[in-house]
Amino acid sequence: MAGVLEQILNGLQLGFVYALIALGYTMVYGIIRLINFAHGDIFMVGAFVGVLGYTVWGLPFPVAVGVAMLVCAVLGVIIERLAYRPLRYAPRIAALISAIGVSLFLEYFCSLNFVFGPNYRVVPRPFEVTSFSVAGVTASNIMVVVTVVVIALLGALQYLLFRTRTGKAMRAVSQDHDAARLMGINVDSVISTTFAVGSALAAAGGVLYAVAYRQIWPFLGIMPGLKAFTAAVLGGIGIVPGAVLGALIMGQVDVLSAAYVSSQFRDAIGFSILILVLLVRPTGLLGSRQPEKV
Amino acid sequence: MILEVREIDVFYGSIQALHQVSFEVAEREIVTLIGPNGAGKSTTLRALSGLVRPRSGRIIYQGRELSRVPAHEIVRRGLSQCPEGRRVFVNLTVLENLEMGAYTRSDRAEIAASLERVFRHFPRLKERVRQAAGTLSGGEQQMLAMGRALMSRPRLLLLDEPSMGLSPLLVEEVFAIIQDINRAGTTVLLVEQNAAMALAIANRAYVLGAGRVVLAGAVADIRDDPRVQAAYLGDVILDAPGCGPAAGTDAAASRSREETRA
């Protein structure tokens, strides 16, 4: 029984990381109806920058996370400006192809020797790992750090979206670009802000992922990116709470299927969920509106 | 003149929606643009708000050229639009919708004062401030959309089909409020298919047909013009090229509205 609970805690930790990535997918989709396939690679860049921050650059861990978030926020804004904005009024498939191009570019550019290099790197931990057990269930301080950081960021996001002028403008733009323009909202800058926020969250997820799972390389973002995309679709793409719900489910599916079915089947099971959702309920668990084609 | 539109051409792709449209609005007037479906009324308002760009011609607002100014800047200059179909933010609350209307303003005390003024015009909105806008009735959404457009304290308010989908009683109410807003000092440019109602409250009118201004003048002259009489009594469609069957059904619709009113 304790074993199952421990697996569920592991699933929760992974689900929290997925949530940070899934939020960016869903927010960007909500605002410009684009699946930003480069989002997983932003997560990867965040992981590298954060790890470099607390190792090579000698920054305290929280500062390293902040730097990674900042760098990725800027990266997200630049990507939108260069790769998506020129295609804003083109057929939607054009921006989607552009996103795949950006994704490949980031992966192979980061694989260059003068960037991050093509190899796996083992990540040193920024702090001592300690385990403790509560009622026979063992957990680690990493789990606590991940949980605290993710809850804090979700709280900050909630505050941004519902209490600030910028956040309300983001919600308004996601509903109706032209009506938002008629309010005097600069839609382009709201879209930039959305990319910045989504990319910063993914970067935080990247650093936490690196610390928790201890291996990074330039193709790190592909699988968690796809899982988080699945999570966003499962919860209802474009719906912020749906992304978190979907991510928590995907975390459990990943960990429990690896533990109790087979780790070889883990990804197959995860993506069967994607197919199933698209077939049975394309609007996702929390979605009620008409399904949108990607 | 608060607004001068000079010979604007607007295209959607290769289709020309406006041909050399010119008109003007003086301070404190109510001016109405009437005409059948597809005549270019909404396109004209979209051009004024910067949502579409004229390919040629000039839009001069308070003495300054507007046709190259970004849409979000136009609101800051005091020109606000309540769009066709209301376009309220359905997932935002009534209060948040009104806050978005005041997006260009930063003085909290002044925003609070505007909010009070909007609630004076539309008391029903005050009872619903915490409600999601999508849960409002059509009439309430129209009032919210108008209130939202007023929150930027416009000098020139553009209203696109405020009567659309409303019961005759609500139409009367909305038009009375438009007159109130105008009396309080806001210039109004009103687009309507309900020509009878629009002509009843406006000072001057322009009749659009197939993307051109086909008639202009004081409302009394427009109302008595045989072509308008004909168009809005449904015998003949408006004397302009390209007014298709849509114009006919529109004329029929406004005739039946006339009859209800009589």
Side-chain angles (χ1 to χ4, degrees), chain B residues 22-38:
Chain B
S22 299
F23 64 94
E24 50 193 37
V25 181
E27 200 93 40
R28 290 184 167 255
E29 264 190 314
I30 299 182
V31 171
T32 184
L33 302 181
I34 55 176
N37 236 336

Side-chain angles (χ1 to χ4, degrees), chain A residues 162 165-166 168-169 171-173 175-176 178-187 190 289, chain B residues 46 49 51 71-72 75-76 81 83 87 89-92 96 99-101 103-105 148:
Chain A
F162 288 91
R165 181 170 168 270
T166 306
K168 290 171 192 174
R171 287 161 56 216
V173 171
Q175 284 172 46
D176 191 332
D178 274 353
R181 282 195 182 92
L182 292 178
M183 303 299 109
I185 295 170
N186 183 341
V187 168
V190 169
R289 281 167 288 177
Chain B
R46 286 173 61 79
S49 284
L51 297 180
H72 59 96
V75 184
R76 272 173 217 282
Q81 180 178 163
R87 309 281 283 265
F89 302 114
V90 290
N91 293 338
L92 271 62
E96 286 172 334
E99 285 171 1
M100 287 297 104
Y103 188 81
T104 52
R105 303 172 58 195
R148 187 179 64 171

Side-chain angles (χ1 to χ4, degrees), chain A residues 229-245:
Chain A
F229 167 65
T230 303
V233 172
L234 173 60
I237 189 100
I239 302 165
V240 168
V244 178
L245 175 68

Side-chain angles (χ1 to χ4, degrees), chain A residues 12-13 62 72 75 113 141 174 179 183 185 209 211 233 260 285:
Chain A
L12 196 63
Q13 172 177 304
C72 286
L75 179 63
N113 280 320
N141 59 344
S174 76
M183 303 299 109
I185 295 170
Y209 188 87
V211 169
V233 172
Y260 298 107
L285 295 174

Side-chain angles (χ1 to χ4, degrees), chain A residues 7-25:
Chain A
Q7 293 301 346
I8 288 176
L9 282 184
N10 287 333
L12 196 63
Q13 172 177 304
L14 186 58
F16 274 144
V17 173
Y18 285 164
L20 291 183
I21 315 172
L23 283 167
Y25 271 114

